[in-house]
Amino acid sequence: MRFVTASLRQRSLAVLTAAAIAAVPAFSAGAGQALAEGDCPALFVLGVQGTGQSSPDADPTSDTGMLGQVLSPLKSAAGDLVERRYVPYEAGFGGAVPGGQAPYTKSVKGAIDKLTSQAQSIASRCGDTKLAFVGYSQGAHAVSQLAKAIGGGGAGISPDKVAAVATFGDPERPEGAPTFPGDAGRVSPAPVPG
């Protein structure tokens, strides 16, 4: 199991690092310049934790849960080019685990609403910043729904603003779906353009 976890972590980091590198040309500050408080990074990653890994009062900057194992190394490697936040939501699966009492469908809807609101806010405040969405388990369900809405022209976010979408343990993933949708057989990210 440790090998599988390390491999998943490495692939996740590779996908998000490629997104960060691809976002750099749109970044107005040079790669060597530090960001001041309130400045906009090249890539802003919004993570939605899984069942029992979030709550309405969860710290949006605390690297915990499965996604903390992915986004913390990304932030360390990319420095000020990347910012990340976790979306606090009621992830208790109807009270079965810590995180809240909301039934699953209401919980996912709440996560989608908060994720959408945060993404819209970042997109309007940071015109050159690209967005990445990462979700695990119940959070992957929310990320998947938002990605579909953006791709369909909804959610008030241009698809051009999205650098990456990564879901892990997505309940909506069809059985036998390829690792990279639309590119059957690919097992690692495509090279960064340019």
Side-chain angles (χ1 to χ4, degrees):
M1 183 65 164
R2 188 153 178 84
F3 173 74
V4 172
T5 303
S7 176
L8 176 62
R9 191 175 315 132
Q10 290 169 341
R11 283 190 217 157
S12 304
L13 187 56
V15 168
L16 293 172
T17 300
I21 291 168
V24 170
F27 186 48
S28 58
Q33 295 176 333
L35 293 176
E37 186 67 31
D39 280 349
C40 297
L43 180 71
F44 205 115
V45 182
L46 290 170
V48 187
Q49 298 280 21
T51 301
Q53 296 183 351
S54 188
S55 67
D57 61 350
D59 180 355
T61 62
S62 181
D63 291 313
T64 61
M66 187 282 202
L67 294 182
Q69 295 180 37
V70 174
L71 298 184
S72 179
L74 172 68
K75 177 68 177 146
S76 293
D80 290 334
L81 292 175
V82 174
E83 187 52 74
R84 53 78 183 94
R85 292 284 185 276
Y86 301 94
V87 176
Y89 75 106
E90 198 166 356
F93 205 77
V97 295
Q101 299 294 318
Y104 182 83
T105 54
K106 185 177 178 186
S107 175
V108 171
K109 172 78 168 98
I112 294 167
D113 291 347
K114 289 181 179 183
L115 176 62
T116 303
S117 174
Q118 287 185 22
Q120 289 171 338
S121 175
I122 294 163
S124 68
R125 181 174 54 88
C126 299
D128 291 335
T129 296
K130 295 289 187 176
L131 297 167
F133 304 105
V134 183
Y136 171 63
S137 186
Q138 187 174 176
H141 192 167
V143 166
S144 177
Q145 288 294 306
L146 178 59
K148 288 177 187 176
I150 292 170
I157 301 164
S158 170
D160 294 339
K161 292 286 291 178
V162 180
V165 174
T167 59
F168 305 98
D170 185 352
E172 292 191 317
R173 182 184 172 94
E175 186 175 336
T179 302
F180 293 90
D183 199 353
R186 180 173 291 283
V187 294
S188 62
V192 176

PDB file of all heavy atoms in Angstrom, residues 2-18 66-67 69-71 73-74 77 166 168 179-180 187-189:
ATOM      1  N   ARG A   2       1.973   1.242   0.691  1.00  0.00           N
ATOM      2  CA  ARG A   2       2.840   2.412   0.736  1.00  0.00           C
ATOM      3  C   ARG A   2       3.359   2.736  -0.660  1.00  0.00           C
ATOM      4  O   ARG A   2       3.446   3.899  -1.028  1.00  0.00           O
ATOM      5  CB  ARG A   2       3.998   2.156   1.702  1.00  0.00           C
ATOM      6  CG  ARG A   2       4.828   3.365   1.949  1.00  0.00           C
ATOM      7  CD  ARG A   2       5.474   3.252   3.317  1.00  0.00           C
ATOM      8  NE  ARG A   2       6.318   4.357   3.595  1.00  0.00           N
ATOM      9  CZ  ARG A   2       5.898   5.514   4.085  1.00  0.00           C
ATOM     10  NH1 ARG A   2       4.648   5.700   4.335  1.00  0.00           N
ATOM     11  NH2 ARG A   2       6.744   6.483   4.336  1.00  0.00           N
ATOM     12  N   PHE A   3       3.683   1.713  -1.470  1.00  0.00           N
ATOM     13  CA  PHE A   3       4.156   1.943  -2.831  1.00  0.00           C
ATOM     14  C   PHE A   3       3.080   2.633  -3.658  1.00  0.00           C
ATOM     15  O   PHE A   3       3.352   3.586  -4.374  1.00  0.00           O
ATOM     16  CB  PHE A   3       4.562   0.619  -3.482  1.00  0.00           C
ATOM     17  CG  PHE A   3       4.894   0.762  -4.944  1.00  0.00           C
ATOM     18  CD1 PHE A   3       6.084   1.346  -5.337  1.00  0.00           C
ATOM     19  CD2 PHE A   3       4.004   0.361  -5.919  1.00  0.00           C
ATOM     20  CE1 PHE A   3       6.387   1.502  -6.683  1.00  0.00           C
ATOM     21  CE2 PHE A   3       4.295   0.520  -7.258  1.00  0.00           C
ATOM     22  CZ  PHE A   3       5.489   1.083  -7.634  1.00  0.00           C
ATOM     23  N   VAL A   4       1.838   2.153  -3.555  1.00  0.00           N
ATOM     24  CA  VAL A   4       0.739   2.736  -4.311  1.00  0.00           C
ATOM     25  C   VAL A   4       0.536   4.187  -3.896  1.00  0.00           C
ATOM     26  O   VAL A   4       0.369   5.069  -4.727  1.00  0.00           O
ATOM     27  CB  VAL A   4      -0.558   1.920  -4.100  1.00  0.00           C
ATOM     28  CG1 VAL A   4      -1.747   2.632  -4.712  1.00  0.00           C
ATOM     29  CG2 VAL A   4      -0.403   0.539  -4.706  1.00  0.00           C
ATOM     30  N   THR A   5       0.580   4.464  -2.595  1.00  0.00           N
ATOM     31  CA  THR A   5       0.402   5.823  -2.111  1.00  0.00           C
ATOM     32  C   THR A   5       1.513   6.734  -2.629  1.00  0.00           C
ATOM     33  O   THR A   5       1.245   7.835  -3.088  1.00  0.00           O
ATOM     34  CB  THR A   5       0.366   5.850  -0.572  1.00  0.00           C
ATOM     35  OG1 THR A   5      -0.685   4.997  -0.141  1.00  0.00           O
ATOM     36  CG2 THR A   5       0.134   7.241  -0.046  1.00  0.00           C
ATOM     37  N   ALA A   6       2.750   6.271  -2.586  1.00  0.00           N
ATOM     38  CA  ALA A   6       3.863   7.084  -3.084  1.00  0.00           C
ATOM     39  C   ALA A   6       3.704   7.339  -4.578  1.00  0.00           C
ATOM     40  O   ALA A   6       3.921   8.446  -5.050  1.00  0.00           O
ATOM     41  CB  ALA A   6       5.190   6.395  -2.782  1.00  0.00           C
ATOM     42  N   SER A   7       3.320   6.311  -5.332  1.00  0.00           N
ATOM     43  CA  SER A   7       3.147   6.462  -6.764  1.00  0.00           C
ATOM     44  C   SER A   7       2.030   7.466  -7.072  1.00  0.00           C
ATOM     45  O   SER A   7       2.178   8.322  -7.927  1.00  0.00           O
ATOM     46  CB  SER A   7       2.828   5.111  -7.394  1.00  0.00           C
ATOM     47  OG  SER A   7       2.577   5.253  -8.764  1.00  0.00           O
ATOM     48  N   LEU A   8       0.921   7.369  -6.354  1.00  0.00           N
ATOM     49  CA  LEU A   8      -0.184   8.304  -6.539  1.00  0.00           C
ATOM     50  C   LEU A   8       0.257   9.719  -6.202  1.00  0.00           C
ATOM     51  O   LEU A   8      -0.032  10.662  -6.928  1.00  0.00           O
ATOM     52  CB  LEU A   8      -1.377   7.897  -5.668  1.00  0.00           C
ATOM     53  CG  LEU A   8      -2.591   8.821  -5.679  1.00  0.00           C
ATOM     54  CD1 LEU A   8      -3.190   8.908  -7.073  1.00  0.00           C
ATOM     55  CD2 LEU A   8      -3.625   8.329  -4.693  1.00  0.00           C
ATOM     56  N   ARG A   9       0.986   9.869  -5.114  1.00  0.00           N
ATOM     57  CA  ARG A   9       1.477  11.181  -4.701  1.00  0.00           C
ATOM     58  C   ARG A   9       2.412  11.745  -5.767  1.00  0.00           C
ATOM     59  O   ARG A   9       2.343  12.908  -6.117  1.00  0.00           O
ATOM     60  CB  ARG A   9       2.188  11.064  -3.357  1.00  0.00           C
ATOM     61  CG  ARG A   9       2.491  12.390  -2.717  1.00  0.00           C
ATOM     62  CD  ARG A   9       3.094  12.256  -1.340  1.00  0.00           C
ATOM     63  NE  ARG A   9       2.426  11.292  -0.523  1.00  0.00           N
ATOM     64  CZ  ARG A   9       3.036  10.339   0.191  1.00  0.00           C
ATOM     65  NH1 ARG A   9       4.334  10.259   0.212  1.00  0.00           N
ATOM     66  NH2 ARG A   9       2.360   9.474   0.893  1.00  0.00           N
ATOM     67  N   GLN A  10       3.309  10.902  -6.303  1.00  0.00           N
ATOM     68  CA  GLN A  10       4.249  11.362  -7.320  1.00  0.00           C
ATOM     69  C   GLN A  10       3.525  11.790  -8.593  1.00  0.00           C
ATOM     70  O   GLN A  10       3.850  12.811  -9.188  1.00  0.00           O
ATOM     71  CB  GLN A  10       5.263  10.265  -7.628  1.00  0.00           C
ATOM     72  CG  GLN A  10       6.230  10.033  -6.491  1.00  0.00           C
ATOM     73  CD  GLN A  10       7.051   8.772  -6.679  1.00  0.00           C
ATOM     74  OE1 GLN A  10       6.692   7.880  -7.444  1.00  0.00           O
ATOM     75  NE2 GLN A  10       8.153   8.677  -5.948  1.00  0.00           N
ATOM     76  N   ARG A  11       2.534  11.024  -9.013  1.00  0.00           N
ATOM     77  CA  ARG A  11       1.782  11.379 -10.213  1.00  0.00           C
ATOM     78  C   ARG A  11       0.995  12.668 -10.002  1.00  0.00           C
ATOM     79  O   ARG A  11       0.921  13.511 -10.876  1.00  0.00           O
ATOM     80  CB  ARG A  11       0.828  10.251 -10.610  1.00  0.00           C
ATOM     81  CG  ARG A  11       1.529   9.107 -11.281  1.00  0.00           C
ATOM     82  CD  ARG A  11       0.534   8.147 -11.859  1.00  0.00           C
ATOM     83  NE  ARG A  11       1.076   6.815 -11.683  1.00  0.00           N
ATOM     84  CZ  ARG A  11       0.378   5.720 -11.654  1.00  0.00           C
ATOM     85  NH1 ARG A  11      -0.925   5.763 -11.779  1.00  0.00           N
ATOM     86  NH2 ARG A  11       0.952   4.559 -11.499  1.00  0.00           N
ATOM     87  N   SER A  12       0.399  12.786  -8.832  1.00  0.00           N
ATOM     88  CA  SER A  12      -0.375  13.991  -8.511  1.00  0.00           C
ATOM     89  C   SER A  12       0.526  15.212  -8.555  1.00  0.00           C
ATOM     90  O   SER A  12       0.167  16.238  -9.137  1.00  0.00           O
ATOM     91  CB  SER A  12      -0.989  13.881  -7.113  1.00  0.00           C
ATOM     92  OG  SER A  12      -1.761  12.730  -7.005  1.00  0.00           O
ATOM     93  N   LEU A  13       1.677  15.105  -7.935  1.00  0.00           N
ATOM     94  CA  LEU A  13       2.621  16.214  -7.912  1.00  0.00           C
ATOM     95  C   LEU A  13       3.097  16.542  -9.321  1.00  0.00           C
ATOM     96  O   LEU A  13       3.219  17.706  -9.688  1.00  0.00           O
ATOM     97  CB  LEU A  13       3.805  15.882  -6.999  1.00  0.00           C
ATOM     98  CG  LEU A  13       4.802  17.010  -6.744  1.00  0.00           C
ATOM     99  CD1 LEU A  13       4.104  18.231  -6.179  1.00  0.00           C
ATOM    100  CD2 LEU A  13       5.883  16.539  -5.784  1.00  0.00           C
ATOM    101  N   ALA A  14       3.304  15.522 -10.149  1.00  0.00           N
ATOM    102  CA  ALA A  14       3.745  15.749 -11.525  1.00  0.00           C
ATOM    103  C   ALA A  14       2.691  16.511 -12.325  1.00  0.00           C
ATOM    104  O   ALA A  14       3.010  17.443 -13.067  1.00  0.00           O
ATOM    105  CB  ALA A  14       4.065  14.423 -12.211  1.00  0.00           C
ATOM    106  N   VAL A  15       1.425  16.134 -12.182  1.00  0.00           N
ATOM    107  CA  VAL A  15       0.342  16.806 -12.899  1.00  0.00           C
ATOM    108  C   VAL A  15       0.253  18.265 -12.479  1.00  0.00           C
ATOM    109  O   VAL A  15       0.182  19.176 -13.303  1.00  0.00           O
ATOM    110  CB  VAL A  15      -1.010  16.094 -12.664  1.00  0.00           C
ATOM    111  CG1 VAL A  15      -2.176  16.942 -13.147  1.00  0.00           C
ATOM    112  CG2 VAL A  15      -1.028  14.747 -13.358  1.00  0.00           C
ATOM    113  N   LEU A  16       0.274  18.511 -11.178  1.00  0.00           N
ATOM    114  CA  LEU A  16       0.123  19.881 -10.686  1.00  0.00           C
ATOM    115  C   LEU A  16       1.363  20.724 -10.956  1.00  0.00           C
ATOM    116  O   LEU A  16       1.254  21.919 -11.228  1.00  0.00           O
ATOM    117  CB  LEU A  16      -0.231  19.872  -9.207  1.00  0.00           C
ATOM    118  CG  LEU A  16      -1.616  19.276  -8.934  1.00  0.00           C
ATOM    119  CD1 LEU A  16      -1.834  19.105  -7.444  1.00  0.00           C
ATOM    120  CD2 LEU A  16      -2.708  20.113  -9.548  1.00  0.00           C
ATOM    121  N   THR A  17       2.545  20.119 -10.918  1.00  0.00           N
ATOM    122  CA  THR A  17       3.764  20.851 -11.243  1.00  0.00           C
ATOM    123  C   THR A  17       3.748  21.256 -12.718  1.00  0.00           C
ATOM    124  O   THR A  17       4.115  22.378 -13.064  1.00  0.00           O
ATOM    125  CB  THR A  17       5.016  20.017 -10.920  1.00  0.00           C
ATOM    126  OG1 THR A  17       4.997  19.717  -9.523  1.00  0.00           O
ATOM    127  CG2 THR A  17       6.285  20.761 -11.263  1.00  0.00           C
ATOM    128  N   ALA A  18       3.288  20.351 -13.587  1.00  0.00           N
ATOM    129  CA  ALA A  18       3.175  20.688 -15.011  1.00  0.00           C
ATOM    130  C   ALA A  18       2.205  21.854 -15.210  1.00  0.00           C
ATOM    131  O   ALA A  18       2.460  22.757 -16.008  1.00  0.00           O
ATOM    132  CB  ALA A  18       2.712  19.465 -15.809  1.00  0.00           C
ATOM    133  N   MET A  66      -5.543  13.564   2.694  1.00  0.00           N
ATOM    134  CA  MET A  66      -4.869  13.041   1.504  1.00  0.00           C
ATOM    135  C   MET A  66      -4.323  14.172   0.643  1.00  0.00           C
ATOM    136  O   MET A  66      -3.193  14.115   0.173  1.00  0.00           O
ATOM    137  CB  MET A  66      -5.852  12.183   0.696  1.00  0.00           C
ATOM    138  CG  MET A  66      -5.207  11.458  -0.480  1.00  0.00           C
ATOM    139  SD  MET A  66      -4.914  12.511  -1.890  1.00  0.00           S
ATOM    140  CE  MET A  66      -4.827  11.373  -3.191  1.00  0.00           C
ATOM    141  N   LEU A  67      -5.099  15.220   0.450  1.00  0.00           N
ATOM    142  CA  LEU A  67      -4.644  16.301  -0.428  1.00  0.00           C
ATOM    143  C   LEU A  67      -3.476  17.079   0.155  1.00  0.00           C
ATOM    144  O   LEU A  67      -2.677  17.644  -0.590  1.00  0.00           O
ATOM    145  CB  LEU A  67      -5.803  17.244  -0.760  1.00  0.00           C
ATOM    146  CG  LEU A  67      -6.922  16.635  -1.598  1.00  0.00           C
ATOM    147  CD1 LEU A  67      -7.980  17.679  -1.906  1.00  0.00           C
ATOM    148  CD2 LEU A  67      -6.391  16.008  -2.874  1.00  0.00           C
ATOM    149  N   GLN A  69      -0.948  15.784   1.430  1.00  0.00           N
ATOM    150  CA  GLN A  69       0.244  15.055   1.006  1.00  0.00           C
ATOM    151  C   GLN A  69       0.634  15.383  -0.430  1.00  0.00           C
ATOM    152  O   GLN A  69       1.755  15.106  -0.856  1.00  0.00           O
ATOM    153  CB  GLN A  69       0.007  13.547   1.145  1.00  0.00           C
ATOM    154  CG  GLN A  69      -0.191  13.112   2.579  1.00  0.00           C
ATOM    155  CD  GLN A  69      -0.416  11.624   2.669  1.00  0.00           C
ATOM    156  OE1 GLN A  69       0.182  10.849   1.926  1.00  0.00           O
ATOM    157  NE2 GLN A  69      -1.268  11.212   3.580  1.00  0.00           N
ATOM    158  N   VAL A  70      -0.287  15.960  -1.183  1.00  0.00           N
ATOM    159  CA  VAL A  70      -0.016  16.345  -2.565  1.00  0.00           C
ATOM    160  C   VAL A  70       0.310  17.833  -2.665  1.00  0.00           C
ATOM    161  O   VAL A  70       1.286  18.232  -3.298  1.00  0.00           O
ATOM    162  CB  VAL A  70      -1.233  16.016  -3.466  1.00  0.00           C
ATOM    163  CG1 VAL A  70      -1.025  16.531  -4.882  1.00  0.00           C
ATOM    164  CG2 VAL A  70      -1.512  14.526  -3.474  1.00  0.00           C
ATOM    165  N   LEU A  71      -0.513  18.667  -2.031  1.00  0.00           N
ATOM    166  CA  LEU A  71      -0.373  20.106  -2.211  1.00  0.00           C
ATOM    167  C   LEU A  71       0.748  20.723  -1.393  1.00  0.00           C
ATOM    168  O   LEU A  71       1.331  21.723  -1.807  1.00  0.00           O
ATOM    169  CB  LEU A  71      -1.704  20.802  -1.921  1.00  0.00           C
ATOM    170  CG  LEU A  71      -2.850  20.399  -2.849  1.00  0.00           C
ATOM    171  CD1 LEU A  71      -4.098  21.220  -2.549  1.00  0.00           C
ATOM    172  CD2 LEU A  71      -2.468  20.514  -4.304  1.00  0.00           C
ATOM    173  N   PRO A  73       3.847  19.398  -0.823  1.00  0.00           N
ATOM    174  CA  PRO A  73       5.084  19.323  -1.610  1.00  0.00           C
ATOM    175  C   PRO A  73       5.051  20.225  -2.853  1.00  0.00           C
ATOM    176  O   PRO A  73       6.066  20.782  -3.245  1.00  0.00           O
ATOM    177  CB  PRO A  73       5.181  17.852  -2.025  1.00  0.00           C
ATOM    178  CG  PRO A  73       4.298  17.116  -1.092  1.00  0.00           C
ATOM    179  CD  PRO A  73       3.235  18.073  -0.663  1.00  0.00           C
ATOM    180  N   LEU A  74       3.875  20.384  -3.457  1.00  0.00           N
ATOM    181  CA  LEU A  74       3.761  21.278  -4.606  1.00  0.00           C
ATOM    182  C   LEU A  74       4.095  22.706  -4.199  1.00  0.00           C
ATOM    183  O   LEU A  74       4.885  23.374  -4.854  1.00  0.00           O
ATOM    184  CB  LEU A  74       2.355  21.231  -5.198  1.00  0.00           C
ATOM    185  CG  LEU A  74       2.072  22.272  -6.283  1.00  0.00           C
ATOM    186  CD1 LEU A  74       2.888  21.990  -7.532  1.00  0.00           C
ATOM    187  CD2 LEU A  74       0.591  22.324  -6.602  1.00  0.00           C
ATOM    188  N   ALA A  77       7.788  23.075  -3.574  1.00  0.00           N
ATOM    189  CA  ALA A  77       8.589  23.035  -4.798  1.00  0.00           C
ATOM    190  C   ALA A  77       8.400  24.291  -5.651  1.00  0.00           C
ATOM    191  O   ALA A  77       9.352  24.783  -6.240  1.00  0.00           O
ATOM    192  CB  ALA A  77       8.223  21.797  -5.620  1.00  0.00           C
ATOM    193  N   ALA A 166      -7.742  17.550 -11.193  1.00  0.00           N
ATOM    194  CA  ALA A 166      -7.310  16.215 -10.778  1.00  0.00           C
ATOM    195  C   ALA A 166      -8.282  15.698  -9.731  1.00  0.00           C
ATOM    196  O   ALA A 166      -8.561  16.381  -8.748  1.00  0.00           O
ATOM    197  CB  ALA A 166      -5.896  16.265 -10.200  1.00  0.00           C
ATOM    198  N   PHE A 168      -9.264  12.221  -7.338  1.00  0.00           N
ATOM    199  CA  PHE A 168      -8.773  10.954  -6.795  1.00  0.00           C
ATOM    200  C   PHE A 168      -9.921  10.298  -6.043  1.00  0.00           C
ATOM    201  O   PHE A 168     -10.511  10.911  -5.167  1.00  0.00           O
ATOM    202  CB  PHE A 168      -7.590  11.203  -5.848  1.00  0.00           C
ATOM    203  CG  PHE A 168      -6.486  11.988  -6.497  1.00  0.00           C
ATOM    204  CD1 PHE A 168      -6.388  13.355  -6.299  1.00  0.00           C
ATOM    205  CD2 PHE A 168      -5.580  11.379  -7.330  1.00  0.00           C
ATOM    206  CE1 PHE A 168      -5.396  14.097  -6.907  1.00  0.00           C
ATOM    207  CE2 PHE A 168      -4.584  12.102  -7.957  1.00  0.00           C
ATOM    208  CZ  PHE A 168      -4.489  13.468  -7.738  1.00  0.00           C
ATOM    209  N   THR A 179      -6.768   6.716 -17.209  1.00  0.00           N
ATOM    210  CA  THR A 179      -6.176   7.619 -16.224  1.00  0.00           C
ATOM    211  C   THR A 179      -6.339   9.066 -16.645  1.00  0.00           C
ATOM    212  O   THR A 179      -6.669   9.926 -15.840  1.00  0.00           O
ATOM    213  CB  THR A 179      -4.680   7.291 -16.032  1.00  0.00           C
ATOM    214  OG1 THR A 179      -4.575   5.926 -15.618  1.00  0.00           O
ATOM    215  CG2 THR A 179      -4.038   8.183 -14.997  1.00  0.00           C
ATOM    216  N   PHE A 180      -6.124   9.351 -17.924  1.00  0.00           N
ATOM    217  CA  PHE A 180      -6.292  10.691 -18.469  1.00  0.00           C
ATOM    218  C   PHE A 180      -7.431  10.640 -19.489  1.00  0.00           C
ATOM    219  O   PHE A 180      -7.242  10.139 -20.595  1.00  0.00           O
ATOM    220  CB  PHE A 180      -4.993  11.197 -19.117  1.00  0.00           C
ATOM    221  CG  PHE A 180      -3.895  11.421 -18.126  1.00  0.00           C
ATOM    222  CD1 PHE A 180      -3.006  10.404 -17.803  1.00  0.00           C
ATOM    223  CD2 PHE A 180      -3.771  12.637 -17.476  1.00  0.00           C
ATOM    224  CE1 PHE A 180      -2.008  10.605 -16.856  1.00  0.00           C
ATOM    225  CE2 PHE A 180      -2.783  12.846 -16.537  1.00  0.00           C
ATOM    226  CZ  PHE A 180      -1.897  11.821 -16.219  1.00  0.00           C
ATOM    227  N   VAL A 187      -0.235   7.147 -19.131  1.00  0.00           N
ATOM    228  CA  VAL A 187      -0.111   6.884 -17.694  1.00  0.00           C
ATOM    229  C   VAL A 187       0.628   7.990 -16.965  1.00  0.00           C
ATOM    230  O   VAL A 187       0.781   7.952 -15.753  1.00  0.00           O
ATOM    231  CB  VAL A 187       0.580   5.513 -17.421  1.00  0.00           C
ATOM    232  CG1 VAL A 187      -0.310   4.368 -17.911  1.00  0.00           C
ATOM    233  CG2 VAL A 187       1.951   5.465 -18.056  1.00  0.00           C
ATOM    234  N   SER A 188       1.113   8.983 -17.709  1.00  0.00           N
ATOM    235  CA  SER A 188       1.772  10.134 -17.071  1.00  0.00           C
ATOM    236  C   SER A 188       1.366  11.390 -17.840  1.00  0.00           C
ATOM    237  O   SER A 188       0.934  11.300 -18.993  1.00  0.00           O
ATOM    238  CB  SER A 188       3.291   9.966 -17.063  1.00  0.00           C
ATOM    239  OG  SER A 188       3.787   9.893 -18.376  1.00  0.00           O
ATOM    240  N   PRO A 189       1.492  12.548 -17.213  1.00  0.00           N
ATOM    241  CA  PRO A 189       1.069  13.784 -17.883  1.00  0.00           C
ATOM    242  C   PRO A 189       1.856  14.031 -19.171  1.00  0.00           C
ATOM    243  O   PRO A 189       3.015  13.630 -19.292  1.00  0.00           O
ATOM    244  CB  PRO A 189       1.374  14.871 -16.869  1.00  0.00           C
ATOM    245  CG  PRO A 189       1.599  14.183 -15.572  1.00  0.00           C
ATOM    246  CD  PRO A 189       2.023  12.786 -15.880  1.00  0.00           C
TER     247      PRO A 189
END
